[in-house]
Amino acid sequence: MTDSTSETAVSKRDFLKATATTLALASLPFTARKALADDEWDVIVIGGGSAGLPAAIFAAERGAKVLIIEGSHRIGGTLDRSSGQLSAAGSALQKSKGIKDTPQDHFDDVMRISRNTANPDMVRVAVDNAADTVDWLQSIGWTALPEHPVKGQGHEDYLIARYQWGPEGGMTVYRALEPVVLKLLKEKKVSVLMQTQAADLMMDSEGAVVGVVAEGPDGKRLNYRSRNVVITSGGAGGDPDMFQELNGAPLYIRMAYPYNKGGGVKLAQSAGGYVRGQEHYLCNDGGVLLDTNYPSPQLAAAITNEEQRKPWEIFVNERGERYTKEADPSVDNREHALRRQPGHRYWAIFDDAILDQAPPFLRGWTSEQIRTGFGKHHMFFKAESLADLAKWSGVDEAGLAKSVASYNDAQSSGHDAEFGREHMPLPISKAPYYAIQLQGYSILVFGGVAVDPSYRVIRKDGSPIPNLYAAGEVLGKAAYTGSAYVGGMSLTPALTAGRLLGQKIMDLKA
Ligand SMILES: Cc1cc2nc3c(=O)[nH]c(=O)nc-3n(C[C@H](O)[C@H](O)[C@H](O)COP(=O)(O)OP(=O)(O)OC[C@H]3O[C@@H](n4cnc5c(N)ncnc54)[C@H](O)[C@@H]3O)c2cc1C
Protein backbone atom coordinates (compact mmCIF):
# COMPACT_ATOMS: atom_id res chain seq x y z
CA MET A 1 0.00 0.00 0.00
CA THR A 2 1.26 3.47 -0.77
CA ASP A 3 0.92 6.47 1.51
CA SER A 4 -1.02 8.85 -0.71
CA THR A 5 -0.58 11.83 1.66
CA SER A 6 3.18 11.70 1.55
CA GLU A 7 3.09 11.08 -2.20
CA THR A 8 1.06 14.27 -2.65
CA ALA A 9 3.39 16.18 -0.32
CA VAL A 10 6.45 15.05 -2.23
CA SER A 11 5.00 15.85 -5.61
CA LYS A 12 3.91 19.29 -4.37
CA ARG A 13 7.42 20.00 -3.10
CA ASP A 14 8.89 18.79 -6.38
CA PHE A 15 6.42 20.96 -8.27
CA LEU A 16 7.35 24.07 -6.27
CA LYS A 17 11.03 23.35 -6.75
CA ALA A 18 10.52 22.78 -10.46
CA THR A 19 8.59 26.07 -10.69
CA ALA A 20 11.36 28.00 -8.90
CA THR A 21 13.94 26.49 -11.22
CA THR A 22 11.84 27.14 -14.29
CA LEU A 23 11.27 30.78 -13.33
CA ALA A 24 14.88 31.40 -12.41
CA LEU A 25 16.05 29.88 -15.65
CA ALA A 26 13.41 31.11 -18.06
CA SER A 27 14.65 32.66 -21.28
CA LEU A 28 14.48 36.47 -21.08
CA PRO A 29 12.62 38.88 -23.34
CA PHE A 30 14.72 41.18 -25.53
CA THR A 31 14.41 44.20 -23.19
CA ALA A 32 15.75 42.21 -20.24
CA ARG A 33 18.58 40.84 -22.36
CA LYS A 34 19.35 44.36 -23.52
CA ALA A 35 19.59 45.51 -19.89
CA LEU A 36 22.18 42.76 -19.24
CA ALA A 37 24.07 43.86 -22.34
CA ASP A 38 24.34 47.39 -20.91
CA ASP A 39 26.27 46.01 -17.91
CA GLU A 40 29.99 45.20 -17.61
CA TRP A 41 30.50 41.63 -16.31
CA ASP A 42 33.42 40.40 -14.21
CA VAL A 43 33.11 36.99 -15.81
CA ILE A 44 31.13 35.60 -18.72
CA VAL A 45 30.81 31.83 -18.76
CA ILE A 46 29.83 30.26 -22.10
CA GLY A 47 27.95 27.05 -21.28
CA GLY A 48 26.39 26.14 -17.94
CA GLY A 49 27.52 22.52 -17.57
CA SER A 50 30.06 20.55 -15.54
CA ALA A 51 32.87 23.08 -15.98
CA GLY A 52 30.77 26.23 -16.38
CA LEU A 53 28.69 25.91 -13.22
CA PRO A 54 31.66 25.61 -10.81
CA ALA A 55 33.37 28.50 -12.63
CA ALA A 56 30.26 30.64 -12.09
CA ILE A 57 29.79 29.49 -8.48
CA PHE A 58 33.37 30.07 -7.36
CA ALA A 59 33.67 33.43 -9.08
CA ALA A 60 30.29 34.65 -7.77
CA GLU A 61 30.99 33.47 -4.23
CA ARG A 62 34.14 35.62 -4.35
CA GLY A 63 32.12 38.70 -5.29
CA ALA A 64 32.22 38.56 -9.09
CA LYS A 65 29.29 39.62 -11.22
CA VAL A 66 28.79 36.56 -13.41
CA LEU A 67 26.83 36.05 -16.59
CA ILE A 68 26.24 32.53 -17.87
CA ILE A 69 25.34 32.26 -21.55
CA GLU A 70 23.62 28.92 -22.03
CA GLY A 71 22.58 27.62 -25.43
CA SER A 72 19.97 25.10 -24.30
CA HIS A 73 16.76 25.40 -22.30
CA ARG A 74 18.35 24.25 -19.03
CA ILE A 75 21.61 24.22 -17.12
CA GLY A 76 23.68 21.12 -16.30
CA GLY A 77 24.78 20.17 -19.83
CA THR A 78 26.04 16.61 -20.11
CA LEU A 79 25.37 15.83 -16.44
CA ASP A 80 21.89 14.55 -17.39
CA ARG A 81 23.50 11.56 -19.09
CA SER A 82 27.04 11.34 -17.72
CA SER A 83 27.77 8.33 -15.53
CA GLY A 84 29.21 10.87 -13.10
CA GLN A 85 32.31 8.82 -12.36
CA LEU A 86 34.93 10.88 -10.57
CA SER A 87 38.52 10.10 -9.69
CA ALA A 88 40.56 11.83 -7.03
CA ALA A 89 43.55 11.02 -4.84
CA GLY A 90 43.68 12.10 -1.21
CA SER A 91 39.95 12.84 -0.89
CA ALA A 92 38.15 12.86 2.47
CA LEU A 93 36.20 9.85 1.22
CA GLN A 94 39.36 7.83 0.64
CA LYS A 95 40.76 8.90 4.01
CA SER A 96 37.53 7.85 5.77
CA LYS A 97 38.08 4.35 4.35
CA GLY A 98 41.78 4.23 5.19
CA ILE A 99 42.89 4.31 1.53
CA LYS A 100 46.39 5.73 1.11
CA ASP A 101 46.74 7.66 -2.14
CA THR A 102 48.52 10.73 -3.44
CA PRO A 103 48.17 13.00 -6.47
CA GLN A 104 51.55 11.65 -7.61
CA ASP A 105 50.13 8.09 -7.56
CA HIS A 106 47.13 9.33 -9.52
CA PHE A 107 49.39 11.09 -12.01
CA ASP A 108 51.53 7.97 -12.47
CA ASP A 109 48.44 5.83 -12.98
CA VAL A 110 46.98 8.18 -15.61
CA MET A 111 50.27 8.26 -17.49
CA ARG A 112 50.58 4.45 -17.23
CA ILE A 113 47.05 3.83 -18.53
CA SER A 114 47.43 6.42 -21.29
CA ARG A 115 50.85 4.99 -22.23
CA ASN A 116 52.30 8.47 -21.68
CA THR A 117 50.07 10.03 -24.34
CA ALA A 118 48.14 12.34 -21.95
CA ASN A 119 49.40 15.91 -21.58
CA PRO A 120 51.48 15.75 -18.37
CA ASP A 121 51.02 19.44 -17.51
CA MET A 122 47.24 19.23 -17.82
CA VAL A 123 47.07 15.94 -15.92
CA ARG A 124 49.25 17.35 -13.14
CA VAL A 125 46.98 20.32 -12.43
CA ALA A 126 43.88 18.11 -12.66
CA VAL A 127 45.05 15.42 -10.24
CA ASP A 128 46.67 17.88 -7.81
CA ASN A 129 43.30 19.56 -7.36
CA ALA A 130 40.85 16.68 -7.81
CA ALA A 131 40.50 15.81 -4.12
CA ASP A 132 39.48 19.38 -3.25
CA THR A 133 36.84 19.17 -5.98
CA VAL A 134 35.38 15.91 -4.69
CA ASP A 135 35.52 17.16 -1.07
CA TRP A 136 33.72 20.33 -2.13
CA LEU A 137 31.04 18.35 -3.98
CA GLN A 138 30.56 16.23 -0.88
CA SER A 139 30.21 19.37 1.23
CA ILE A 140 27.32 20.57 -0.95
CA GLY A 141 25.42 17.30 -0.92
CA TRP A 142 27.01 14.91 -3.42
CA THR A 143 27.31 11.35 -2.15
CA ALA A 144 29.15 8.28 -3.42
CA LEU A 145 27.80 4.74 -3.48
CA PRO A 146 28.54 3.02 -0.15
CA GLU A 147 31.14 0.59 -1.51
CA HIS A 148 33.11 3.39 -3.22
CA PRO A 149 35.81 4.37 -4.03
CA VAL A 150 36.75 1.44 -6.26
CA LYS A 151 39.65 0.79 -8.62
CA GLY A 152 37.60 0.72 -11.77
CA GLN A 153 34.60 -0.18 -13.81
CA GLY A 154 34.25 -0.10 -17.57
CA HIS A 155 37.69 1.38 -18.18
CA GLU A 156 41.21 0.14 -17.41
CA ASP A 157 41.53 -0.26 -13.64
CA TYR A 158 43.52 2.12 -11.46
CA LEU A 159 46.05 0.55 -9.09
CA ILE A 160 44.43 2.30 -6.11
CA ALA A 161 40.72 2.72 -5.27
CA ARG A 162 40.12 6.38 -6.20
CA TYR A 163 37.09 6.06 -8.46
CA GLN A 164 33.55 6.88 -7.28
CA TRP A 165 30.14 7.99 -8.36
CA GLY A 166 26.76 8.67 -6.85
CA PRO A 167 23.53 6.65 -7.02
CA GLU A 168 22.24 8.72 -9.95
CA GLY A 169 25.56 9.11 -11.78
CA GLY A 170 25.92 12.57 -13.30
CA MET A 171 22.59 13.67 -11.86
CA THR A 172 23.97 13.19 -8.34
CA VAL A 173 26.53 15.85 -9.25
CA TYR A 174 23.87 18.07 -10.81
CA ARG A 175 21.57 17.82 -7.79
CA ALA A 176 24.44 19.06 -5.59
CA LEU A 177 25.26 21.99 -7.89
CA GLU A 178 21.73 23.12 -8.75
CA PRO A 179 20.69 24.61 -5.35
CA VAL A 180 23.98 26.52 -5.14
CA VAL A 181 23.37 28.04 -8.57
CA LEU A 182 19.73 28.84 -7.77
CA LYS A 183 20.77 30.59 -4.56
CA LEU A 184 23.29 32.73 -6.42
CA LEU A 185 20.65 33.52 -9.04
CA LYS A 186 18.23 34.58 -6.34
CA GLU A 187 20.91 36.77 -4.75
CA LYS A 188 21.54 38.25 -8.22
CA LYS A 189 25.22 37.29 -8.07
CA VAL A 190 24.76 35.20 -11.19
CA SER A 191 22.55 35.91 -14.20
CA VAL A 192 21.75 33.39 -16.89
CA LEU A 193 20.82 33.92 -20.50
CA MET A 194 18.99 30.73 -21.47
CA GLN A 195 18.55 29.47 -25.02
CA THR A 196 21.22 31.93 -26.04
CA GLN A 197 24.17 30.99 -28.24
CA ALA A 198 27.57 32.55 -27.84
CA ALA A 199 28.03 33.37 -31.52
CA ASP A 200 31.23 35.43 -31.58
CA LEU A 201 33.89 36.98 -29.37
CA MET A 202 34.44 40.73 -29.07
CA MET A 203 38.08 41.66 -29.48
CA ASP A 204 39.94 44.94 -29.02
CA SER A 205 42.58 46.28 -31.36
CA GLU A 206 45.34 44.59 -29.28
CA GLY A 207 43.84 41.13 -29.79
CA ALA A 208 42.38 40.88 -26.27
CA VAL A 209 38.93 39.42 -25.72
CA VAL A 210 36.54 42.01 -24.32
CA GLY A 211 33.17 40.31 -24.50
CA VAL A 212 30.79 37.95 -26.22
CA VAL A 213 28.28 38.41 -29.01
CA ALA A 214 25.27 36.26 -28.13
CA GLU A 215 22.20 35.34 -30.10
CA GLY A 216 18.93 35.01 -28.18
CA PRO A 217 16.03 32.66 -28.89
CA ASP A 218 14.49 35.32 -31.16
CA GLY A 219 17.62 35.36 -33.34
CA LYS A 220 18.61 38.87 -32.17
CA ARG A 221 22.26 39.44 -31.28
CA LEU A 222 23.59 41.57 -28.43
CA ASN A 223 27.09 42.36 -27.18
CA TYR A 224 27.95 41.44 -23.58
CA ARG A 225 31.12 43.02 -22.20
CA SER A 226 33.67 41.30 -19.94
CA ARG A 227 37.44 41.05 -19.58
CA ASN A 228 37.18 37.44 -18.42
CA VAL A 229 35.52 35.09 -20.86
CA VAL A 230 35.46 31.38 -20.02
CA ILE A 231 34.54 28.91 -22.75
CA THR A 232 32.92 25.82 -21.20
CA SER A 233 30.73 24.81 -24.11
CA GLY A 234 31.48 21.07 -23.98
CA GLY A 235 32.29 18.73 -26.84
CA ALA A 236 30.79 18.31 -30.29
CA GLY A 237 28.58 15.22 -30.06
CA GLY A 238 25.68 17.32 -31.39
CA ASP A 239 27.38 18.06 -34.71
CA PRO A 240 28.72 15.16 -36.80
CA ASP A 241 30.96 17.41 -38.92
CA MET A 242 32.62 19.12 -35.95
CA PHE A 243 32.90 15.76 -34.19
CA GLN A 244 34.70 14.31 -37.22
CA GLU A 245 36.98 17.34 -37.37
CA LEU A 246 37.96 17.02 -33.70
CA ASN A 247 38.35 13.23 -33.74
CA GLY A 248 39.30 12.28 -37.28
CA ALA A 249 36.57 9.63 -36.96
CA PRO A 250 32.81 9.66 -37.53
CA LEU A 251 30.16 10.25 -34.91
CA TYR A 252 28.70 6.73 -34.84
CA ILE A 253 26.39 7.05 -31.87
CA ARG A 254 23.73 9.51 -30.78
CA MET A 255 24.37 9.78 -27.07
CA ALA A 256 26.20 13.02 -26.28
CA TYR A 257 24.47 16.24 -25.22
CA PRO A 258 22.88 17.46 -28.47
CA TYR A 259 23.45 21.17 -27.78
CA ASN A 260 27.22 20.70 -27.78
CA LYS A 261 28.18 21.41 -31.37
CA GLY A 262 31.79 22.47 -31.02
CA GLY A 263 30.88 26.16 -31.02
CA GLY A 264 33.45 26.93 -28.33
CA VAL A 265 36.24 25.56 -30.50
CA LYS A 266 35.23 27.90 -33.32
CA LEU A 267 35.16 30.86 -30.90
CA ALA A 268 38.65 30.07 -29.62
CA GLN A 269 39.96 29.65 -33.16
CA SER A 270 38.43 32.98 -34.19
CA ALA A 271 40.46 34.65 -31.43
CA GLY A 272 43.73 33.00 -32.54
CA GLY A 273 43.55 29.71 -30.62
CA TYR A 274 44.17 26.30 -32.11
CA VAL A 275 43.12 22.68 -31.71
CA ARG A 276 45.30 19.79 -30.55
CA GLY A 277 44.83 16.13 -29.60
CA GLN A 278 42.82 14.77 -32.58
CA GLU A 279 45.52 12.22 -33.31
CA HIS A 280 44.70 10.45 -30.03
CA TYR A 281 41.21 9.34 -31.04
CA LEU A 282 40.29 5.97 -29.57
CA CYS A 283 36.96 4.20 -29.95
CA ASN A 284 35.62 2.29 -26.97
CA ASP A 285 35.01 -1.42 -26.93
CA GLY A 286 31.78 -1.09 -28.84
CA GLY A 287 28.07 -1.59 -28.58
CA VAL A 288 25.17 -2.77 -30.73
CA LEU A 289 23.66 0.21 -32.52
CA LEU A 290 20.12 0.39 -33.81
CA ASP A 291 21.31 0.64 -37.43
CA THR A 292 24.10 2.04 -39.60
CA ASN A 293 22.38 5.35 -40.19
CA TYR A 294 25.04 7.19 -38.17
CA PRO A 295 24.79 8.71 -35.66
CA SER A 296 22.51 5.96 -34.43
CA PRO A 297 21.05 5.29 -30.97
CA GLN A 298 22.46 2.30 -29.08
CA LEU A 299 20.33 -0.84 -28.92
CA ALA A 300 22.40 -2.93 -26.52
CA ALA A 301 25.76 -3.24 -24.79
CA ALA A 302 27.83 -6.40 -24.99
CA ILE A 303 29.59 -7.98 -22.03
CA THR A 304 33.16 -8.15 -23.25
CA ASN A 305 35.01 -8.21 -19.96
CA GLU A 306 36.31 -11.62 -18.89
CA GLU A 307 35.65 -10.89 -15.22
CA GLN A 308 31.93 -10.48 -15.94
CA ARG A 309 31.48 -13.16 -18.59
CA LYS A 310 34.01 -15.48 -20.17
CA PRO A 311 33.92 -15.46 -24.00
CA TRP A 312 32.04 -18.09 -26.00
CA GLU A 313 31.94 -16.26 -29.36
CA ILE A 314 34.74 -15.20 -31.68
CA PHE A 315 35.11 -11.58 -32.78
CA VAL A 316 35.95 -10.91 -36.42
CA ASN A 317 36.49 -7.77 -38.48
CA GLU A 318 34.96 -7.17 -41.90
CA ARG A 319 37.72 -9.26 -43.49
CA GLY A 320 36.40 -12.13 -41.38
CA GLU A 321 39.63 -12.21 -39.33
CA ARG A 322 39.86 -12.55 -35.58
CA TYR A 323 41.71 -9.43 -34.48
CA THR A 324 41.93 -9.66 -30.67
CA LYS A 325 41.81 -12.03 -27.75
CA GLU A 326 38.07 -11.95 -27.08
CA ALA A 327 37.32 -10.62 -23.58
CA ASP A 328 40.99 -9.67 -23.03
CA PRO A 329 41.08 -8.57 -19.37
CA SER A 330 42.66 -5.29 -20.51
CA VAL A 331 39.89 -3.10 -21.92
CA ASP A 332 42.60 -0.76 -23.20
CA ASN A 333 44.10 -3.60 -25.30
CA ARG A 334 40.68 -4.39 -26.75
CA GLU A 335 40.00 -0.73 -27.56
CA HIS A 336 43.34 -0.26 -29.30
CA ALA A 337 42.85 -3.49 -31.27
CA LEU A 338 39.41 -2.31 -32.40
CA ARG A 339 40.75 1.15 -33.27
CA ARG A 340 42.92 -0.51 -35.93
CA GLN A 341 39.99 -2.32 -37.62
CA PRO A 342 38.21 -0.99 -40.73
CA GLY A 343 35.20 1.10 -39.69
CA HIS A 344 35.96 0.40 -36.00
CA ARG A 345 33.44 -2.42 -36.14
CA TYR A 346 33.36 -6.14 -35.49
CA TRP A 347 31.00 -9.09 -35.47
CA ALA A 348 30.49 -11.57 -32.64
CA ILE A 349 30.10 -14.97 -34.34
CA PHE A 350 28.47 -17.95 -32.66
CA ASP A 351 26.22 -20.92 -33.32
CA ASP A 352 23.05 -22.47 -31.99
CA ALA A 353 24.77 -24.56 -29.31
CA ILE A 354 26.49 -21.45 -27.92
CA LEU A 355 23.25 -19.48 -27.97
CA ASP A 356 21.65 -22.36 -26.06
CA GLN A 357 24.31 -22.84 -23.43
CA ALA A 358 26.22 -19.58 -22.94
CA PRO A 359 25.17 -16.87 -20.50
CA PRO A 360 23.65 -13.96 -22.48
CA PHE A 361 26.20 -11.93 -24.45
CA LEU A 362 24.18 -8.69 -24.22
CA ARG A 363 23.90 -6.85 -20.91
CA GLY A 364 20.43 -7.07 -19.43
CA TRP A 365 19.12 -9.38 -22.19
CA THR A 366 17.99 -12.98 -21.73
CA SER A 367 19.09 -15.64 -24.20
CA GLU A 368 15.48 -15.84 -25.33
CA GLN A 369 15.40 -12.09 -26.08
CA ILE A 370 18.60 -12.46 -28.08
CA ARG A 371 17.12 -15.42 -29.96
CA THR A 372 13.98 -13.50 -30.90
CA GLY A 373 16.12 -10.48 -31.86
CA PHE A 374 17.26 -12.25 -35.05
CA GLY A 375 15.04 -11.17 -37.89
CA LYS A 376 13.99 -8.14 -35.82
CA HIS A 377 17.09 -6.00 -35.27
CA HIS A 378 19.26 -4.58 -38.05
CA MET A 379 22.53 -5.64 -36.39
CA PHE A 380 21.47 -9.26 -35.74
CA PHE A 381 22.14 -11.85 -38.46
CA LYS A 382 21.16 -15.53 -38.67
CA ALA A 383 21.81 -18.09 -41.42
CA GLU A 384 21.88 -21.83 -42.00
CA SER A 385 25.45 -21.70 -43.35
CA LEU A 386 28.55 -19.66 -42.55
CA ALA A 387 28.67 -18.56 -46.19
CA ASP A 388 25.18 -17.03 -45.99
CA LEU A 389 25.94 -15.50 -42.62
CA ALA A 390 28.98 -13.79 -44.14
CA LYS A 391 26.96 -12.55 -47.12
CA TRP A 392 24.16 -11.05 -45.06
CA SER A 393 26.28 -9.55 -42.34
CA GLY A 394 28.82 -7.95 -44.69
CA VAL A 395 31.79 -10.03 -43.53
CA ASP A 396 34.23 -11.54 -46.04
CA GLU A 397 33.12 -15.13 -46.74
CA ALA A 398 36.51 -16.78 -47.19
CA GLY A 399 37.96 -14.92 -44.21
CA LEU A 400 35.11 -16.00 -41.95
CA ALA A 401 35.32 -19.65 -43.06
CA LYS A 402 39.06 -19.66 -42.36
CA SER A 403 38.71 -18.01 -38.93
CA VAL A 404 35.96 -20.36 -37.79
CA ALA A 405 37.92 -23.42 -38.97
CA SER A 406 41.06 -22.26 -37.24
CA TYR A 407 39.14 -21.42 -34.03
CA ASN A 408 37.49 -24.85 -34.07
CA ASP A 409 40.95 -26.46 -34.33
CA ALA A 410 42.16 -24.35 -31.40
CA GLN A 411 39.03 -25.31 -29.45
CA SER A 412 39.52 -29.02 -30.00
CA SER A 413 43.26 -28.92 -29.17
CA GLY A 414 42.75 -26.48 -26.27
CA HIS A 415 45.50 -24.26 -27.67
CA ASP A 416 44.80 -20.87 -29.29
CA ALA A 417 48.17 -20.14 -30.92
CA GLU A 418 46.95 -16.85 -32.37
CA PHE A 419 45.70 -15.00 -29.27
CA GLY A 420 46.24 -17.30 -26.30
CA ARG A 421 42.57 -17.47 -25.42
CA GLU A 422 41.89 -20.11 -22.81
CA HIS A 423 38.09 -20.20 -22.48
CA MET A 424 36.85 -22.04 -25.58
CA PRO A 425 33.95 -24.18 -24.34
CA LEU A 426 32.35 -25.06 -27.70
CA PRO A 427 33.25 -25.09 -31.39
CA ILE A 428 31.23 -22.99 -33.83
CA SER A 429 29.68 -25.81 -35.81
CA LYS A 430 25.96 -26.19 -35.15
CA ALA A 431 23.59 -24.39 -37.53
CA PRO A 432 21.96 -21.98 -37.50
CA TYR A 433 24.88 -19.57 -37.25
CA TYR A 434 24.61 -16.10 -35.76
CA ALA A 435 26.42 -12.75 -35.99
CA ILE A 436 25.82 -9.61 -33.98
CA GLN A 437 27.48 -6.50 -35.36
CA LEU A 438 29.15 -4.20 -32.85
CA GLN A 439 30.45 -0.70 -33.39
CA GLY A 440 33.37 0.89 -31.56
CA TYR A 441 32.59 4.53 -30.91
CA SER A 442 33.43 7.57 -28.85
CA ILE A 443 30.88 9.93 -27.36
CA LEU A 444 33.55 12.48 -26.49
CA VAL A 445 35.90 14.56 -28.58
CA PHE A 446 39.63 13.89 -28.22
CA GLY A 447 40.78 17.07 -29.96
CA GLY A 448 40.08 20.46 -28.45
CA VAL A 449 41.21 23.98 -27.67
CA ALA A 450 44.85 24.30 -26.61
CA VAL A 451 45.31 25.98 -23.22
CA ASP A 452 48.17 26.37 -20.78
CA PRO A 453 47.92 24.77 -17.32
CA SER A 454 46.16 27.95 -16.08
CA TYR A 455 43.44 27.26 -18.68
CA ARG A 456 44.38 30.37 -20.72
CA VAL A 457 43.64 29.79 -24.40
CA ILE A 458 46.96 29.88 -26.24
CA ARG A 459 48.13 30.55 -29.76
CA LYS A 460 50.37 28.13 -31.64
CA ASP A 461 53.44 30.04 -30.36
CA GLY A 462 52.30 29.33 -26.78
CA SER A 463 51.32 32.91 -25.97
CA PRO A 464 48.01 33.35 -24.13
CA ILE A 465 45.13 35.23 -25.72
CA PRO A 466 44.35 37.95 -23.18
CA ASN A 467 41.13 37.45 -21.18
CA LEU A 468 40.18 34.15 -22.79
CA TYR A 469 39.98 30.89 -20.81
CA ALA A 470 38.57 27.44 -21.55
CA ALA A 471 37.73 24.36 -19.48
CA GLY A 472 35.91 21.06 -19.76
CA GLU A 473 35.45 18.89 -22.81
CA VAL A 474 36.07 21.83 -25.15
CA LEU A 475 39.76 21.22 -24.35
CA GLY A 476 39.47 17.74 -25.85
CA LYS A 477 39.52 14.56 -23.83
CA ALA A 478 43.08 13.77 -24.94
CA ALA A 479 44.47 16.56 -22.76
CA TYR A 480 43.76 14.42 -19.68
CA THR A 481 43.72 10.88 -21.05
CA GLY A 482 45.75 10.89 -24.28
CA SER A 483 44.83 7.90 -26.41
CA ALA A 484 42.96 6.05 -23.67
CA TYR A 485 39.87 6.04 -21.51
CA VAL A 486 40.88 6.80 -17.93
CA GLY A 487 38.19 6.57 -15.27
CA GLY A 488 36.76 9.90 -14.13
CA MET A 489 39.34 11.86 -16.10
CA SER A 490 36.83 13.87 -18.13
CA LEU A 491 34.28 14.95 -15.58
CA THR A 492 36.61 15.49 -12.61
CA PRO A 493 39.01 17.71 -14.60
CA ALA A 494 36.01 19.64 -16.01
CA LEU A 495 34.63 20.37 -12.53
CA THR A 496 38.12 21.09 -11.20
CA ALA A 497 39.09 23.48 -13.99
CA GLY A 498 35.82 25.38 -13.55
CA ARG A 499 36.40 25.63 -9.81
CA LEU A 500 40.01 26.79 -10.21
CA LEU A 501 39.10 29.33 -12.87
CA GLY A 502 36.27 30.76 -10.77
CA GLN A 503 38.71 31.16 -7.88
CA LYS A 504 41.62 32.41 -9.94
CA ILE A 505 39.82 35.01 -11.98
CA MET A 506 38.65 36.74 -8.82
CA ASP A 507 42.08 36.40 -7.18
CA LEU A 508 43.58 38.12 -10.23
CA LYS A 509 41.03 40.89 -9.93
CA ALA A 510 41.73 41.44 -6.19
C1 LIG B 1 26.93 9.24 -21.66
C2 LIG B 1 28.14 9.91 -21.07
C3 LIG B 1 28.72 9.37 -19.93
C4 LIG B 1 29.84 9.96 -19.38
N1 LIG B 1 30.36 9.47 -18.22
C5 LIG B 1 31.47 10.03 -17.69
C6 LIG B 1 32.01 9.56 -16.47
O1 LIG B 1 31.44 8.68 -15.82
N2 LIG B 1 33.17 10.12 -16.00
C7 LIG B 1 33.81 11.11 -16.68
O2 LIG B 1 34.88 11.54 -16.25
N3 LIG B 1 33.28 11.63 -17.82
C8 LIG B 1 32.13 11.12 -18.31
N4 LIG B 1 31.58 11.65 -19.43
C9 LIG B 1 32.15 12.89 -19.96
C10 LIG B 1 31.84 14.08 -19.08
O3 LIG B 1 30.58 13.92 -18.44
C11 LIG B 1 31.83 15.34 -19.94
O4 LIG B 1 33.04 15.42 -20.65
C12 LIG B 1 31.67 16.59 -19.10
O5 LIG B 1 30.47 16.51 -18.34
C13 LIG B 1 31.65 17.79 -20.02
O6 LIG B 1 31.51 18.95 -19.24
P1 LIG B 1 31.52 20.35 -19.98
O7 LIG B 1 31.23 21.37 -18.94
O8 LIG B 1 32.72 20.49 -20.80
O9 LIG B 1 30.28 20.25 -20.99
P2 LIG B 1 28.74 20.16 -20.65
O10 LIG B 1 28.50 19.71 -19.27
O11 LIG B 1 28.09 19.40 -21.72
O12 LIG B 1 28.26 21.67 -20.73
C14 LIG B 1 28.35 22.40 -21.92
C15 LIG B 1 27.22 23.42 -21.95
O13 LIG B 1 27.50 24.39 -22.96
C16 LIG B 1 26.31 24.71 -23.64
N5 LIG B 1 26.71 25.24 -24.96
C17 LIG B 1 27.27 24.57 -25.98
N6 LIG B 1 27.56 25.42 -26.99
C18 LIG B 1 27.18 26.66 -26.58
C19 LIG B 1 27.23 27.96 -27.17
N7 LIG B 1 27.75 28.19 -28.38
N8 LIG B 1 26.72 28.99 -26.48
C20 LIG B 1 26.19 28.81 -25.24
N9 LIG B 1 26.14 27.60 -24.63
C21 LIG B 1 26.63 26.54 -25.28
C22 LIG B 1 25.55 23.40 -23.68
O14 LIG B 1 24.17 23.60 -23.89
C23 LIG B 1 25.88 22.80 -22.31
O15 LIG B 1 24.91 23.16 -21.34
C24 LIG B 1 30.43 11.10 -19.99
C25 LIG B 1 29.83 11.65 -21.13
C26 LIG B 1 28.69 11.07 -21.66
C27 LIG B 1 28.05 11.69 -22.87
Side-chain angles (χ1 to χ4, degrees), residues 92-282:
L93 187 64
Q94 276 183 323
K95 285 177 191 153
S96 73
K97 304 216 166 175
I99 299 166
K100 288 198 170 51
D101 196 8
T102 65
Q104 182 62 44
D105 292 327
H106 194 178
F107 177 87
D108 292 343
D109 239 1
V110 172
M111 298 313 286
R112 171 186 65 83
I113 294 170
S114 75
R115 307 174 201 216
N116 289 318
T117 55
N119 180 322
D121 298 334
M122 298 303 294
V123 174
R124 180 70 71 186
V125 68
V127 299
D128 281 356
N129 293 284
D132 284 348
T133 299
V134 171
D135 291 353
W136 166 65
L137 281 178
Q138 210 169 7
S139 76
I140 58 170
W142 171 86
T143 50
L145 290 171
E147 65 275 21
H148 286 193
V150 293
K151 286 184 181 172
Q153 182 185 293
H155 304 305
E156 199 74 6
D157 277 3
Y158 283 118
L159 298 177
I160 297 174
R162 64 169 71 92
Y163 195 34
Q164 56 264 299
W165 54 96
E168 290 181 90
M171 283 307 289
T172 310
V173 176
Y174 179 71
R175 289 191 206 291
L177 296 175
E178 188 198 36
V180 185
V181 177
L182 289 179
K183 181 170 172 286
L184 292 167
L185 279 168
K186 216 169 132 201
E187 292 168 354
K188 302 207 181 316
K189 293 178 177 165
V190 171
S191 299
V192 187
L193 285 167
M194 297 302 298
Q195 291 177 272
T196 301
Q197 291 290 325
D200 211 347
L201 293 175
M202 295 157 59
M203 312 279 295
D204 69 11
S205 54
E206 317 271 280
V209 172
V210 291
V212 179
V213 182
E215 185 171 310
D218 52 8
K220 291 185 182 152
R221 290 189 174 198
L222 286 165
N223 295 347
Y224 298 87
R225 284 172 292 130
S226 176
R227 292 200 166 262
N228 292 298
V229 172
V230 182
I231 304 176
T232 49
S233 56
D239 183 321
D241 292 336
M242 268 311 273
F243 186 91
Q244 170 98 38
E245 196 175 318
L246 296 173
N247 277 327
L251 177 65
Y252 292 114
I253 191 165
R254 200 181 313 143
M255 194 187 270
Y257 195 55
Y259 292 88
N260 294 350
K261 296 172 187 276
V265 171
K266 290 183 190 155
L267 293 178
Q269 284 172 324
S270 73
Y274 73 101
V275 165
R276 65 184 177 196
Q278 305 99 315
E279 70 280 11
H280 291 307
Y281 175 80
L282 182 67

Side-chain angles (χ1 to χ4, degrees), residues 46-52 69-72 74 76-79 81-85 196-198 232-235 255-257 259-261 263-264 443-444 471-474 488-492 494:
I46 300 174
S50 313
I69 298 177
E70 170 50 50
S72 79
R74 59 161 184 75
T78 298
L79 287 172
R81 63 205 64 208
S82 175
S83 309
Q85 298 171 322
T196 301
Q197 291 290 325
T232 49
S233 56
M255 194 187 270
Y257 195 55
Y259 292 88
N260 294 350
K261 296 172 187 276
I443 42 181
L444 309 181
E473 200 182 321
V474 75
M489 283 303 286
S490 293
L491 182 54
T492 328

